[in-house]
Amino acid sequence: MRNTFGHIFTLTTFGESHGEAVGGVVDGMPAGIDIDMEFIQSELNRRRPGQSAITTSRQEADKVELLSGVFEGKSTGCPIGFIVRNTNQHSQDYENMRCLFRPSHADYTYYQKYGIRDHRGGGRSSARITISRCVGGALAKLVLRQKGITVQAYTSQVGDIALDRDYTKYNLDLTETNAVRCPDAEKAAQMEQLISQVKAEGDTIGGIITCVIKGCPAGLGEPEFGKLHAALGSAMLSINAVKGFEYGDGFDSATMRGKTQNDVFCNEDGRITTVTNHSGGIQGGISNGQDIYFRVAFKPVATVLTEQQTVDLEGNATTFTARGRHDPCVLPRAVPVVESMAAMTILDNILLQNAVIL
């Protein structure tokens, strides 16, 4: 079972939704980096449950404890072990799911793969495991910060309520000013109303998160099987509930013509750049120094609070109604997860590039 992400900067995770704790080990962290604990905790706070009326009501402090790899406030270059304890599990809410397979969950596939499964909140397949990704992503961001690289994601669509695809039209600093994490206040209010309506109906809804990486140097990625956009796509598609990934113009490119879609090179104050950025900052699988931007599609959360048809472990037809505390829309809490996976991917590729040069 693959529980490790990355090549040089790596994150190995452990834990289950209703176990004692979730945690991990980050290896390959450069030495001498200031470890800002307030920043790391703030990243977890952006992901934690119970932060608004449109998220799950599960109450967890998600307090992170660093166990190793830090001395006098700086990274030592040794593995950084960390743990976040689970304190508010309601495992009894899942007892009626012990002997059946929930629609569109990982219950059936886990059972077929391992012959055993943790029915409490999905166990290892729970989105609660993304806590570890946010810790790893926060550490990666601390390194990228010193290199002038920023990673910023935002909710760009919920259901059929969508922002313009052009991220440059928005002030992304406004993303954290509302519960939906959308930089457009008017659209954010509409999105929040839609999520509240869906929640009241016992249903769920999906949408899209856009992510923008600024300050990334040219030359990251490999020309064949290690393409940068492939690495980003793999990272995003490993996130719970993600169903699609596109970068640059993405699928819109299929309806464009070459003369329109090509990014023409120019000389700007002695620096080679491009007039447009349809490529999303990546050409031939390698970063070109422009903003890297991509979109990630999330399906509706599989747990709906209405009666559904399914089968039990023996294949007998049955019905069930989910209980417990669940997100009606995963997007607001998934924004920091998308940023974390992007940050770790970029840092890992920077370290890989430096290793090639050396």
Side-chain angles (χ1 to χ4, degrees):
M1 185 173 179
R2 287 285 303 274
N3 295 297
T4 300
F5 172 83
H7 298 86
I8 296 181
F9 182 91
T10 65
L11 168 68
T12 302
T13 71
F14 66 83
E16 296 83 32
S17 176
H18 287 237
E20 290 296 320
V22 174
V25 176
V26 168
D27 206 354
M29 179 74 175
I33 302 297
D34 290 328
I35 302 301
D36 185 342
M37 287 302 300
E38 288 188 9
F39 172 73
I40 296 172
Q41 187 60 54
S42 71
E43 291 293 275
L44 283 182
N45 293 344
R46 295 171 68 210
R47 194 225 68 92
R48 71 174 178 82
Q51 59 184 272
S52 76
I54 57 172
T55 64
T56 171
S57 60
R58 179 171 176 170
Q59 294 294 322
E60 295 278 4
D62 285 354
K63 181 70 173 178
V64 62
E65 306 170 41
L66 298 190
L67 307 177
S68 62
V70 179
F71 179 66
E72 296 183 341
K74 293 184 180 293
S75 59
T76 64
C78 298
I80 298 177
F82 62 89
I83 192 170
V84 176
R85 299 187 184 278
N86 295 326
T87 62
N88 192 228
Q89 309 97 312
H90 288 180
S91 299
Q92 67 275 9
D93 289 343
Y94 297 89
E95 193 57 35
N96 67 326
M97 306 175 194
R98 178 185 288 273
C99 296
L100 54 81
F101 300 120
R102 295 171 297 168
S104 288
H105 284 77
D107 298 348
Y108 176 73
T109 52
Y110 266 55
Y111 189 73
Q112 289 298 310
K113 184 173 182 65
Y114 301 109
I116 187 174
R117 68 182 177 90
D118 184 347
H119 67 283
R120 305 167 304 167
R124 183 71 172 158
S125 68
S126 169
R128 182 151 181 80
I129 311 306
T130 58
I131 285 173
S132 299
R133 299 176 183 226
C134 286
V135 176
L139 291 168
K141 282 184 177 182
L142 290 176
V143 182
L144 296 180
R145 179 193 295 175
Q146 293 193 1
K147 298 180 179 295
I149 301 172
T150 62
V151 181
Q152 197 161 14
Y154 61 94
T155 299
S156 55
Q157 183 170 339
V158 173
D160 60 358
I161 301 172
L163 301 188
D164 188 283
R165 290 175 62 97
D166 185 357
Y167 68 90
T168 63
K169 293 182 179 179
Y170 302 97
N171 179 2
L172 302 190
D173 290 337
L174 299 178
T175 298
E176 295 295 320
T177 61
N178 56 74
V180 187
R181 293 199 164 90
C182 170
D184 183 306
E186 182 178 346
K187 291 286 188 179
Q190 295 175 20
M191 291 174 180
E192 187 168 353
Q193 183 178 9
L194 176 58
I195 295 171
S196 296
Q197 175 189 333
V198 167
K199 179 181 180 180
E201 296 170 355
D203 210 344
T204 62
I205 195 165
I208 293 173
I209 289 175
T210 298
C211 186
V212 182
I213 305 171
K214 292 180 175 290
C216 187
L220 302 185
E222 300 299 323
E224 186 60 16
F225 297 113
K227 290 178 167 63
L228 184 58
H229 59 265
L232 286 167
S234 177
M236 296 307 135
L237 289 166
S238 74
I239 300 172
N240 307 57
V242 169
K243 288 297 184 180
F245 169 84
E246 64 174 1
Y247 73 102
D249 284 345
F251 282 93
D252 281 356
S253 300
T255 62
M256 300 172 71
R257 297 196 178 189
K259 286 190 292 185
T260 302
Q261 211 267 342
N262 282 349
D263 293 318
V264 176
F265 286 103
C266 65
N267 188 318
E268 187 176 282
D269 299 325
R271 183 177 68 92
I272 295 178
T273 184
T274 56
V275 176
T276 55
N277 189 18
H278 298 291
S279 301
I282 302 172
Q283 294 171 325
I286 301 172
S287 61
N288 66 3
Q290 302 300 306
D291 291 350
I292 295 172
Y293 64 95
F294 56 85
R295 290 156 42 96
V296 186
F298 285 79
K299 71 170 185 174
V301 176
T303 300
V304 297
L305 302 182
T306 54
E307 186 176 82
Q308 295 185 87
Q309 302 289 325
T310 189
V311 298
D312 61 21
L313 299 182
E314 285 72 43
N316 301 309
T318 185
T319 61
F320 87 105
T321 301
R323 298 195 294 265
R325 302 158 297 176
H326 307 280
D327 288 287
C329 178
V330 73
L331 270 69
R333 295 175 59 215
V335 165
V337 181
V338 168
E339 290 180 1
S340 293
M341 296 308 296
M344 288 192 289
T345 300
I346 294 300
L347 178 56
D348 193 36
N349 274 268
I350 288 173
L351 296 175
L352 282 167
Q353 178 70 2
N354 290 340
V356 170
I357 292 174
L358 292 176

